Amino acid sequence: MAEIKDSVKVHGMWASPWVRRVTIALKIKGIPYEYFEEDLKNKSQKLLQYNPAKKLVPVLVHDGRPIAESLIILEYIDEIWKNSPNLFPNLPYQRAIVRFWAGFIDLQIFEKLRDVVKARNDQDEEKIIKEIQENVKKLEANVKELYSGITHTNGETMQILDILMVTLLPIINGVEEAMSVKFINPENFPLAFSWMKSGEGVPAVQDTVPNHEKLVSFLRKLRQHIRNL
Ligand SMILES: N[C@@H](CCC(=O)N[C@@H](CS)C(=O)NCC(=O)O)C(=O)O
């Protein structure tokens, strides 16, 4: 457990899977934190001060010092609070592989799921859907090397790639329903889907999952707004 002296704050936004990575990591390591919900249309002075370069959530503020970018925050959390579970493997080669795939899943899947919602027209949308499908296919081909097949019952067995994968599923479901199109079928990617579902029973995952209807309505409005610009 974190020592009492630690002050840990998270600036976040309820729908953000990037924020959720951080709150799940804190919860499974048993680190108490204060949460500040940001209105991203009217960001707090603190957020602008903490992340002036990007002005994005999540920001973790540890004893008054801000850290931005979810993957960097996860590494920081693991280095500062060394109690189990360790979010990264110990061996340098394994750590490198995990960093590679964390980056791949982040940029080639999560970011593109945001891009597809923000596509300006059907043509752009179709192009991005194809890219996402190609990227999930590449991930599927590597799942056996990356995921032991375990079903997580608590946070103790979860590492960083597990956290990313379990936070992907609600976003895929939300984006597909908001767009009324199913483009990542479980039948085509059975291994990736079983990994995405592997943490559904973990309390830290359940506690942080965004409400599906609220998420769909949020994404629908965002999509409509972009298309009306
Ligand atoms: N690469 C960043 C992405 C974070 C991100 O995109 N945050 C969004 C919320 S989901 C945000 O703060 N958006 C505010 C804006 O775009 O102005 C990370 O990993 O932390």
Side-chain angles (χ1 to χ4, degrees):
M1 284 292 281
E3 289 177 39
I4 298 294
K5 71 173 176 58
D6 282 318
S7 152
V8 181
K9 296 175 181 167
V10 176
H11 285 252
M13 186 271 193
W14 67 271
S16 170
W18 288 273
V19 171
R20 211 175 153 220
R21 295 168 184 177
V22 172
T23 51
I24 290 177
L26 291 170
K27 280 174 188 282
I28 63 180
K29 277 199 178 257
I31 303 158
Y33 63 92
E34 256 184 286
Y35 179 79
F36 297 88
E37 177 73 14
E38 288 285 342
D39 173 359
L40 295 181
K41 292 198 189 97
N42 182 22
K43 295 171 185 170
S44 72
Q45 280 310 310
K46 284 234 184 296
L47 176 61
L48 301 177
Q49 173 198 328
Y50 289 147
N51 188 2
K54 291 197 172 177
K55 306 180 176 70
L56 301 178
V57 292
V59 169
L60 179 90
V61 189
H62 180 211
D63 288 339
R65 294 188 300 179
I67 303 119
E69 283 295 312
S70 60
L71 296 180
I72 294 173
I73 297 172
L74 292 178
E75 294 217 24
Y76 178 83
I77 289 173
D78 213 34
E79 282 172 10
I80 294 288
W81 293 282
K82 295 192 182 296
N83 62 297
S84 106
N86 294 317
L87 303 178
F88 289 83
N90 284 328
L91 297 173
Y93 183 73
Q94 301 304 338
R95 287 176 77 88
I97 297 297
V98 161
R99 284 196 184 104
F100 172 84
W101 282 104
F104 182 89
I105 295 166
D106 189 34
L107 295 179
Q108 310 301 333
I109 302 179
F110 276 96
E111 288 284 357
K112 288 196 183 284
L113 283 164
R114 172 167 39 207
D115 293 346
V116 82
V117 174
K118 290 186 161 185
R120 300 294 294 269
N121 52 52
D122 291 350
Q123 209 182 345
D124 288 357
E125 189 177 285
E126 269 171 40
K127 182 174 165 282
I128 302 168
I129 286 178
K130 285 210 180 79
E131 288 171 3
I132 297 172
Q133 287 167 331
E134 277 307 307
N135 294 337
V136 179
K137 195 168 159 190
K138 287 178 188 160
L139 175 65
E140 176 77 9
N142 285 275
V143 171
K144 280 196 182 131
E145 308 294 321
L146 301 168
Y147 165 54
S148 63
I150 187 176
T151 299
H152 306 280
T153 51
N154 61 46
E156 277 298 307
T157 49
M158 289 181 78
Q159 292 199 328
I160 175 170
L161 294 182
D162 303 309
I163 295 176
L164 293 190
M165 288 303 284
V166 304
T167 53
L168 189 53
L169 190 58
I171 294 300
I172 291 177
N173 291 338
V175 167
E176 287 184 331
E177 194 169 327
M179 292 171 56
S180 307
V181 46
K182 186 126 196 74
F183 54 90
I184 313 179
N185 279 305
E187 303 81 61
N188 299 338
F189 310 110
L191 301 177
F193 268 83
S194 70
W195 196 2
M196 285 185 236
K197 287 172 181 252
S198 68
E200 280 178 337
V202 176
V205 174
Q206 291 174 346
D207 288 355
T208 55
V209 70
N211 176 279
H212 177 68
E213 280 72 37
K214 194 176 164 196
L215 182 63
V216 170
S217 151
F218 170 78
L219 293 170
R220 251 189 209 135
K221 279 188 200 137
L222 178 62
R223 183 166 184 260
Q224 212 49 59
H225 172 72
I226 302 282
R227 291 207 170 213
N228 290 341
L229 285 178

